[in-house]
Structure formats: structure tokens, C-alpha cells
């Protein structure tokens, strides 16, 4: 792919068959999938090759809802590669249950099922830097890894095993994949990426049923117009509804908002530590519910073993989907963190001294990694029992437009994120079940924090996880959503949306694997329309 700055491109070059707004995992996956096709593809990225405060400020928000970890800025980075610049690399699959309409979860149900994504998951794994696109959750992991299933299983009526994969960047074995860093390596004459190109308005025909062009701004103050046959909006769970609502010159209520659905159903994952496990007695628990290394023809891949609520108990007790895992928090003088920094060329004298004074731990780590194929034995400050819970879809949890504008004149997103007692109850119930199952299986049990106990009246210490979701939800009926099952905006002939904003529900899993799978599916649709 060729990367240029908007200011260096002439007006005659601002046209394409497909224009993709946003260069995060969704946008770049679509562009990569269309590489080598007859389609001329243009990717527009608001940021540049490196982050700047001036450009990041374009993502400022007005927060009027529940407290967020970053209260004045939207999730997603204004930089080539988007949110992959700061993501943690943890990848999980949505459960079959997440796609279904559940009577105890109002607003649940996708217009597609898990089977619809199955054909593209292997391709998604290649894009995202993991070894397997499917077949690694629940007890299927043990066969995939060539390991004997543990003799004592979790009670399937309460909890089930759940596994996440950790993305690995081909250029850095100690980092997850940063999509932006690999744009330059893809030879694709039909794909061009423009950085410093912020879309300020989506222009439609007089009927508001077809996009005809985009208004784009950059460091060059001259306004620019981009034209295409097909347009894909991929600017994140807050950026997508913001731009649709702000594009109101022809359609006063905003594009795709005929039924007042754009921006509604804002969800995230609520996360936090619910308890702690003493590192001095944690070895057996970490051997079972820790990290595993699996080798396949494409390399070594790290998995994390956790637990999730069983579908049976979710239905029986009216619970949301929720997962928990043991999170090792390294001490400041952990030698393996110092070794990583040294190998990446970022270490200092302190790192060298820490590594040299802990030869025993390093030797044990090498043995575990190379022979036992498990995670490294870090020197720990503590071990937390952490959780991630899905949110109840709520139409009053929403993104609208603020009175204040950014420096380019686009109204800021006004974020009214709402939380629900059903989420709090689910977390406390899941935490209790995890502690009971650890004890029943003979492992040392974490001690729950006071607020996480079932009978606690304290406020939950949970926050968002920068996974804004649901604001352009997928639906078969235009009156209940924004995009159809092909991710085309209802009532629009040539406008599609990519990213987590199309999810009707969040599940408990990190969203990036599903985002990339849906992006591949959308790329296949665009290719078929050519």
C-alpha cells in the first residue's frame, strides 16, 4: 500500500471505487483483503504515522454519563493503525449464546448467527496475529494443544473453561500486532492510504439515499472533496455515530437515522479486579489457570486459560455473559520484564542489573517456556482475579452531538454511557462461583474484595475497557437498528459500517477478533458488488 499525506495529493487523485474512513483493524483489514483486486481503494486516516496531541484532540468527547477510564476522549487512536496502536492483543471468540435472543437480556439477538462468521475466522487469525481462528475455546483447547485434559473438570452447570489467544506482531515477538506498522510492507498498487485526512462531512444525494462524496480536511487549510462509488465508515464505536449524526446538511437528523437509532445502545465491557490470590501459594492455580504456549506451523502462540459463566446458569439465574481470569501483576524488579526491554533495545542499566541478579528465575522461565510450554514465572507484586462482563443493551445509553465543536467545526460526541444493576449482580455472582470452584477443585482460592461479595452494598469498582460498542447496531428491521446483516446502512445504497459499533450485544470477549472477521465478510461483499 502506498502512504501519502493529504496535502501532497492532487484533486484528481481523490477518487476511488471504495473509500474506507479509518485505518484501524477494521479499515486496514478490508483494504488488505481488497489488495490486488480490480477495485481502486482509498483509505483515509485522520492521524499520521505518529500520534500528536493536536490530532488526538479531534476525538475529545463530552461525557455526561457513567464515569469512564478516559472521561474526555473517545476510544481509538488518531494514528495509522487506529486502536491497534494501544490494544492489549487479547483475542476471544463470541459464544453461540451471544448471537441469540435471550428473554432475560432485553435487546439481545443478532440477525446473523455464529455460523455466519465461521468461514472467515481462519483468515481473521492471519490478519490479527494469532494461531487459530476457531476451535480453541472450552475443552476443545486441550486437543488443539496436544495436551491431556485436566482430570478434574469445572462444574458445567456453573462455569466453563474459556481461552483467549494473545496476538503476536511478526516484527516483535514481545508485542501484539500493530496494524499500522505493516501497511508499508503490502505490495498493492490498487490501494492508497492518505494520512492527515480527517473526514468532516458525508455528502449525500438530494434524497439522502446515496453517498456522493466526503468533505476532508488536513493541515492544508484548503477544503478537499473525495468521491467514490462505495464508502465504508470504520472510525470506532463513538466515531461512527458521531460522523453519521454530524452529516446533516441534506438529512437534518443525520445519515441512517430515520428511526432515531444512530448512537443508541452504547455498550462497553465493564472490567475490574474482584479479588486477589497470594503469589506464595498460587503455583498450582497458575499451572491450571495460567498461560500456555502452543506451537503450530506458523510459530508459537500464547493462550490464557480463564473461566466463564455457563449458559445454563445464565439462563437459570438471569445473568449476563461474564468471564474471569488470574492476572499476574509483575513486581518492579521482575527480571523477565527487564529481559524483554533489553531484547527490544529499550532497556537501561536498571534492567541489566535486575536480569543479572535473578538467574534462578530466568532459568526456571526458560525451562517452563521451552520444555513445559507454559507461561514465564514472573516475580509478582500480586495476582488479581479479574472479570469482564457484557453490558445490557440500553437504548438510553447513547452517543449524541454536543454544542461544542472541534477545531475543524465538527460537533463533539456527547456520550451518555449507562450501567445497569444486572451487570453488578452478574459480576458478584460470577466472582463467588469462581472462588467456590477453585476451592472445590483443590486450588488456593482468591480472596474477594469487599465490594465484590454477594451481599455487599458497596459501589462496584468497575470501569469501561475502551470497547465502545453497539451504536450502529445490526438489525434485519430498519426500525430497530442502523445496518443490515451485510453491514450496509439501512436505506443507503452505498454506505457500509465496519467495527464494533455494529454489534447488537457485546458478549464478554474482547471484540477485535469479531471486528476483523466481520471486516473480512464485508470485504467479500464489496468484492462481489464490483
Amino acid at each position: 500500500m502506498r502512504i501519502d499525506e493529504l496535502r501532497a495529493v492532487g484533486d484528481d487523485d481523490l477518487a476511488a471505487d471504495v473509500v474506507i474512513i479509518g485505518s484501524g483493524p477494521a479499515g486496514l483489514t478490508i483494504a488488505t483483503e481488497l489488495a490486488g483486486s480490480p477495485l481502486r481503494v482509498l483509505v483515509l486516516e485522520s492521524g499520521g504515522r505518529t500520534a500528536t496531541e493536536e490530532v488526538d484532540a479531534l476525538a475529545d468527547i463530552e461525557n455526561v454519563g457513567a464515569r469512564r477510564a478516559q472521561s474526555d476522549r473517545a476510544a481509538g487512536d488518531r494514528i495509522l493503525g487506529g486502536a491497534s496502536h494501544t490494544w492489549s492483543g487479547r483475542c476471544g471468540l463470541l459464544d453461540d449464546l451471544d448471537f441469540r435472543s435471550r428473554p432475560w437480556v432485553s435487546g439481545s439477538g443478532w440477525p446473523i448467527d455464529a455460523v455466519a462468521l465461521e468461514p472467515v475466522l481462519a483468515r481473521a487469525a492471519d490478519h490479527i496475529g494469532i494461531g487459530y481462528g476457531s476451535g480453541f475455546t472450552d475443552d476443545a483447547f486441550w486437543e488443539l494443544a496436544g495436551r491431556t485434559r485436566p482430570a478434574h473438570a469445572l462444574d458445567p452447570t456453573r462455569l466453563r473453561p474459556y481461552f483467549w489467544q494473545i496476538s503476536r506482531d511478526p516484527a516483535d515477538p514481545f508485542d501484539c500486532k500493530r496494524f499500522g506498522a505493516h501497511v508499508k510492507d503490502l505490495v498493492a498498487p490498487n490501494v492508497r492510504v492518505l494520512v492527515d485526512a480527517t473526514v468532516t462531512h458525508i455528502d449525500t444525494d438530494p434524497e439522502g439515499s446515496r453517498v456522493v462524496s466526503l468533505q476532508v480536511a488536513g493541515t492544508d487549510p484548503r477544503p478537499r472533496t473525495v468521491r467514490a462509488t462505495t464508502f465504508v465508515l470504520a472510525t470506532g464505536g463513538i466515531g461512527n455515530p458521531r460522523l453519521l449524526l454530524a452529516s446533516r446538511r441534506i438529512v437534518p437528523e443525520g445519515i441512517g437515522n430515520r428511526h432515531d437509532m444512530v448512537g443508541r445502545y452504547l455498550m462497553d465491557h465493564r472490567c475490574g479486579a474482584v479479588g486477589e490470590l497470594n503469589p506464595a501459594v498460587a503455583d498450582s492455580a497458575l499451572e491450571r489457570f495460567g498461560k500456555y504456549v502452543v506451537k503450530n506451523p506458523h510459530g508459537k502462540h500464547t493462550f490464557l486459560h480463564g473461566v466463564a459463566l455457563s449458559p445454563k446458569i445464565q439462563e437459570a439465574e438471569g445473568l449476563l455473559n461474564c468471564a474471569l481470569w488470574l492476572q499476574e501483576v509483575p513486581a518492579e524488579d521482575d527480571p523477565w520484564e527487564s529481559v524483554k526491554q533489553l531484547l527490544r533495545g529499550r532497556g537501561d542499566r536498571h534492567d541489566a542489573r535486575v536480569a543479572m541478579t535473578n538467574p534462578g528465575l530466568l532459568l526456571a522461565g526458560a525451562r517452563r517456556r521451552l520444555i513445559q510450554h507454559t507461561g514465564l514465572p514472573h516475580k509478582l507484586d500480586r495476582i488479581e482475579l479479574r472479570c469482564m462482563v457484557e453490558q445490557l443493551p440500553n437504548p438510553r445509553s447513547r452517543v449524541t452531538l454536543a454544542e461544542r465543536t472541534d477545531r475543524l467545526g465538527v460537533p463533539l460526541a456527547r456520550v451518555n454511557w449507562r450501567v445497569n444493576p444486572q451487570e453488578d449482580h452478574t459480576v458478584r455472582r460470577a466472582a463467588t462461583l469462581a472462588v467456590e470452584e477453585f476451592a472445590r477443585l483443590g486450588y488456593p482460592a482468591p480472596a474477594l474484595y469487599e465490594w465484590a461479595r454477594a451481599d455487599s452494598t458497596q459501589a462496584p469498582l468497575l470501569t469501561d475497557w475502551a470497547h465502545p460498542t453497539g451504536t450502529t447496531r445490526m438489525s434485519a428491521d430498519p426500525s430497530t437498528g442502523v445496518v443490515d446483516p451485510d453491514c450496509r446502512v439501512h436505506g443507503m445504497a452505498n454506505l457500509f459500517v465496519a467495527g464494533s459499533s455494529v454489534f447488537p450485544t457485546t458478549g464478554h470477549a474482547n471484540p477485535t477478533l469479531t471486528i476483523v472477521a466481520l471486516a473480512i465478510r464485508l470485504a467479500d461483499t464489496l468484492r462481489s458488488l464490483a
Side-chain angles (χ1 to χ4, degrees):
M1 296 184 195
R2 181 177 172 182
I3 307 173
D4 293 306
E5 292 187 12
L6 175 65
R7 63 184 177 181
V9 177
D11 290 348
D12 291 342
D13 290 327
L14 295 179
D17 297 310
V18 177
V19 168
I20 301 166
I21 309 169
S23 73
L28 286 182
T29 294
I30 296 171
T32 302
E33 284 287 319
L34 296 179
S37 74
L39 295 168
R40 294 174 302 150
V41 180
L42 182 63
V43 180
L44 303 176
E45 169 53 49
S46 177
R49 293 174 176 84
T50 58
T52 67
E53 177 57 33
E54 182 183 22
V55 176
D56 281 347
L58 295 173
D60 284 352
I61 65 174
E62 182 180 291
N63 187 37
V64 297
R67 182 180 67 86
R68 299 178 64 84
Q70 196 173 8
S71 62
D72 63 347
R73 185 147 298 169
D77 301 84
R78 297 283 179 126
I79 187 173
L80 184 64
S84 74
H85 186 66
T86 53
W87 77 310
S88 68
R90 198 164 70 159
C91 302
L93 281 170
L94 290 175
D95 300 316
D96 290 350
L97 181 76
D98 295 321
F99 292 89
R100 301 176 194 158
S101 179
R102 291 164 280 167
W104 65 97
V105 182
S106 61
S108 61
W110 291 50
I112 62 174
D113 56 21
V115 175
L117 296 184
E118 183 65 33
V120 299
L121 288 173
R123 288 155 66 189
D126 290 338
H127 281 283
I128 212 168
I130 57 177
Y132 304 88
S134 60
F136 62 88
T137 56
D138 296 332
D139 281 323
F141 168 80
W142 304 112
E143 182 176 353
L144 175 148
R147 291 174 176 268
T148 303
R149 184 181 301 189
H152 302 291
L154 293 163
D155 181 345
T157 66
R158 310 176 97 202
L159 295 176
R160 57 196 169 89
Y162 188 87
F163 293 85
W164 297 266
Q165 287 185 74
I166 309 301
S167 165
R168 189 178 67 170
D169 194 297
D172 186 348
F174 298 112
D175 200 3
C176 51
K177 185 173 180 180
R178 310 297 177 191
F179 281 65
H182 300 279
V183 172
K184 65 182 186 302
D185 300 326
L186 183 66
V187 178
N190 67 310
V191 181
R192 170 181 264 181
V193 178
L194 293 185
V195 296
D196 185 35
T198 302
V199 177
T200 59
H201 198 274
I202 302 172
D203 302 325
T204 71
D205 60 8
E207 292 74 32
S209 61
R210 174 180 287 274
V211 178
V212 296
S213 63
L214 305 173
Q215 296 303 304
V216 184
T219 54
D220 182 346
R222 181 165 60 97
R224 313 294 292 275
T225 299
V226 174
R227 302 185 186 278
T229 304
T230 303
F231 299 81
V232 178
L233 182 57
T235 62
I238 293 177
N240 284 348
R242 178 193 181 191
L243 190 52
L244 290 173
L245 292 171
S247 299
R248 50 192 178 183
R249 292 173 190 162
I250 299 297
V251 186
E253 69 273 16
I255 293 174
N257 200 32
R258 183 178 306 170
H259 298 283
D260 190 28
M261 292 298 293
V262 173
R264 292 190 182 274
Y265 293 97
L266 171 64
M267 297 169 285
D268 209 299
H269 284 123
R270 295 181 68 197
C271 301
V274 297
E276 287 189 16
L277 181 61
N278 184 354
V281 298
D283 285 354
S284 62
L286 289 175
E287 286 177 10
R288 170 75 177 270
F289 299 104
K291 292 181 178 178
Y292 295 82
V293 178
V294 177
K295 187 176 182 179
N296 73 4
H298 302 290
K300 293 181 179 180
H301 304 278
T302 300
F303 291 75
L304 173 65
H305 184 1
V307 299
L309 290 175
S310 73
K312 289 183 179 180
I313 202 167
Q314 289 182 53
E315 182 174 9
E317 299 187 14
L319 302 174
L320 298 164
N321 211 345
C322 183
L324 304 100
W325 67 96
L326 294 177
Q327 183 75 40
E328 298 176 77
V329 181
E332 290 186 4
D333 58 344
D334 173 44
W336 280 110
E337 289 299 315
S338 293
V339 167
K340 288 181 182 179
Q341 293 292 66
L342 291 167
L343 291 175
R344 298 167 85 179
R346 303 174 188 173
D348 54 22
R349 291 181 179 179
H350 168 76
D351 292 308
R353 184 170 59 256
V354 169
M356 292 176 63
T357 55
N358 288 274
L361 197 58
L362 295 179
L363 189 62
R367 183 171 58 252
R368 286 181 59 173
R369 190 77 171 184
L370 298 174
I371 299 175
Q372 298 173 326
H373 303 300
T374 56
L376 298 172
H378 290 275
K379 187 174 183 180
L380 300 176
D381 178 71
R382 63 190 185 279
I383 299 172
E384 295 176 340
L385 177 64
R386 299 189 66 87
C387 77
M388 184 179 290
V389 65
E390 77 167 318
Q391 280 206 276
L392 189 74
N394 180 357
R396 293 181 297 171
S397 181
R398 65 187 302 193
V399 174
T400 55
L401 296 180
E403 296 286 336
R404 188 159 58 99
T405 64
D406 63 23
R407 62 178 173 80
L408 298 177
V410 181
L412 300 187
R414 185 176 186 268
V415 178
N416 186 4
W417 179 51
R418 301 197 177 196
V419 299
N420 190 281
Q422 190 173 355
E423 299 149 16
D424 303 341
H425 172 65
T426 296
V427 167
R428 290 186 170 110
R429 181 63 174 137
T432 299
L433 290 170
V435 169
E436 292 175 354
E437 278 296 279
F438 269 60
R440 185 184 69 83
L441 294 173
Y443 299 111
L448 294 182
Y449 297 141
E450 180 58 37
W451 73 262
R453 298 181 182 277
D455 57 352
S456 177
T457 58
Q458 294 183 10
L461 298 180
L462 301 171
T463 187
D464 68 286
W465 211 240
H467 295 163
T469 303
T471 48
T472 63
R473 68 185 343 230
M474 186 189 297
S475 68
D477 183 347
S479 68
T480 60
V482 178
V483 304
D484 68 16
D486 290 326
C487 294
R488 189 197 310 256
V489 175
H490 288 299
M492 299 295 296
N494 63 340
L495 178 61
F496 296 81
V497 180
S500 62
S501 67
V502 307
F503 292 16
T505 53
T506 65
H508 69 70
N510 302 61
T512 310
L513 180 56
T514 304
I515 288 172
V516 170
L518 285 170
I520 294 170
R521 189 169 174 267
L522 175 51
D524 289 346
T525 298
L526 298 177
R527 194 182 294 107
S528 70
L529 295 175

